[in-house]
Amino acid sequence: MGFSLSSKITLLLLLVLLCFLNINICLGARKLNSRYQPPPMLLTYHNGNLLEGTLPVSILWYGKFTPSQKSIVADFFLSLSTSKKQRGLLSSKTPSVSQWWKNIQTYMKKAEKKETQIVLSKQISDEKCSLGKTLSKSQISELTQKVNSEPGSITLVLTAQDVAVEGFCMSNCGFHGSNKKKDSAFIWVGNSVTQCPGQCAWPFHQPIYGPQSSPLGAPNGDVGLDGMVVNIASLLAGTVTNPFGNGYFQGSAGAPLEASSACPGIYGTGAYPGYAGKLLVDTATGASYNAQGANGSKYLLPAVFDPSTSSCSTMV
């Protein structure tokens, strides 16, 4: 059956209209897709107690550490302070360790808590390893009792390179826990230089898995201790903002993403898996760092999740 001229014109107009509508439908879908942004990651405050105000930190050195190794860690804690008494020890150069710590104060402010002022308290050595050189997680908690820290404090247990701890290298490089009765917390970090530097001292050692790149120079010339500082800093941020499991975190309370663990492997701008990001380099030693501290010290510190911008904040 044939079509009249008017019918053909009508059909043609309908086809053009359908094509026009299809184009707009497709363009509309593309436009919606281009506007879509994945929801930002949020660290929710679960209304629990945080470690606010003056916060004493005691250190238990378990195993043999040299005086220079101890000073690397001690200077890091001194560098966190913003008190007038210790300000003379701090570096006036930027970026600084104390600036890094201001990220944590953002969490305290949002929760309407006092700013947290770190004070380095007592240091105790257990060179003979009184509980042996193979420790369970429960023994780490037992070791904290040797320090007899005051309520509302943190005890830091650091184990030497020849001490094995349950889960070390296999599932973690350190952890934090608490004693709710004393309203206090503890952190454990191990020296991984002879056990698993590719896991717990990256980026100062080539990674065991993933993209392979040349390791960075350790800012204090000690792969093991500089790696420990990275883990101490990350766990300190998590401990202060989530000491009892009901502070700031995302995900499961049993395996939470915390202030720093939410930004793994990020140290400078442009970081991606296998690349720590753009960092400062010491022209004398070739070492990489992103923060300066007390007594001329330099450190590489992990990024901290900024709750005000919902992004990982780096020093450089």
Side-chain angles (χ1 to χ4, degrees):
M1 182 175 65
F3 291 95
S4 66
L5 179 61
S6 60
S7 298
K8 289 180 179 179
I9 292 172
T10 302
L11 181 60
L12 181 61
L13 289 173
L14 285 172
L15 289 172
V16 170
L17 179 61
L18 285 172
C19 288
F20 179 76
L21 289 172
N22 283 335
I23 289 171
N24 275 275
I25 289 169
C26 292
L27 288 175
R30 191 172 298 156
K31 191 173 183 180
L32 288 172
N33 286 337
S34 67
R35 284 180 177 177
Y36 174 75
Q37 295 292 332
M41 180 173 64
L42 297 174
L43 265 67
T44 305
Y45 178 43
H46 295 80
N47 301 314
N49 290 338
L50 308 181
L51 297 181
E52 59 180 313
T54 301
L55 181 60
V57 175
S58 299
I59 302 176
L60 173 62
W61 300 92
Y62 192 81
K64 291 185 178 180
F65 290 88
T66 66
S68 63
Q69 289 178 323
K70 291 181 179 180
S71 68
I72 292 171
V73 175
D75 282 345
F76 167 69
F77 280 100
L78 290 174
S79 303
L80 293 167
S81 174
T82 56
S83 69
K84 292 180 180 180
K85 184 178 179 181
Q86 294 183 341
R87 196 168 291 166
L89 295 172
L90 304 181
S91 172
S92 59
K93 298 179 180 179
T94 56
S96 67
V97 176
S98 59
Q99 284 180 311
W100 176 83
W101 187 244
K102 286 181 180 178
N103 289 307
I104 303 305
Q105 309 297 14
T106 304
Y107 287 83
M108 313 310 287
K109 184 177 181 179
K110 287 181 72 69
E112 299 183 344
K113 305 292 184 182
K114 298 176 183 176
E115 288 194 352
T116 303
Q117 300 292 338
I118 300 292
V119 177
L120 184 58
S121 186
K122 65 186 79 172
Q123 296 188 57
I124 298 174
S125 294
D126 186 352
E127 287 193 3
K128 294 183 179 180
C129 298
S130 59
L131 298 183
K133 292 189 175 183
T134 302
L135 303 175
S136 65
K137 287 187 176 182
S138 62
Q139 285 178 307
I140 295 295
S141 180
E142 183 181 339
L143 284 172
T144 65
Q145 306 305 314
K146 291 178 174 287
V147 180
N148 193 27
S149 299
E150 56 193 287
S153 64
I154 292 178
T155 299
L156 176 63
V157 178
L158 300 178
T159 52
Q161 63 186 52
D162 59 347
V163 176
V165 177
E166 179 187 357
F168 190 30
C169 299
M170 293 181 288
S171 60
N172 60 60
C173 303
F175 59 79
H176 70 86
S178 63
N179 183 332
K180 291 185 179 180
K181 290 182 179 179
K182 288 189 174 182
D183 196 33
S184 60
F186 67 87
I187 297 171
W188 162 73
V189 174
N191 187 335
S192 66
V193 69
T194 58
Q195 298 183 55
C196 54
Q199 290 166 279
C200 295
W202 184 85
F204 308 125
H205 190 281
Q206 266 191 298
I208 295 177
Y209 309 108
Q212 297 295 303
S213 57
S214 299
L216 303 179
N220 294 287
D222 190 319
V223 170
L225 257 292
D226 281 308
M228 289 182 81
V229 170
V230 170
N231 294 310
I232 290 169
S234 178
L235 287 164
L236 180 65
T239 302
V240 170
T241 57
N242 188 34
F244 308 114
N246 54 4
Y248 282 96
F249 66 88
Q250 183 192 46
S252 166
L257 286 177
E258 298 177 331
S260 183
S261 62
C263 302
I266 300 175
Y267 299 92
T269 55
Y272 55 81
Y275 174 59
K278 185 178 179 181
L279 302 170
L280 300 174
V281 177
D282 189 318
T283 54
T285 64
S288 297
Y289 67 98
N290 62 5
Q292 302 186 71
N295 302 313
S297 55
K298 293 181 175 68
Y299 299 100
L300 185 66
L301 302 180
V304 173
F305 184 81
D306 185 344
S308 62
T309 63
S310 297
S311 62
C312 293
S313 176
T314 60
M315 297 299 295
V316 291

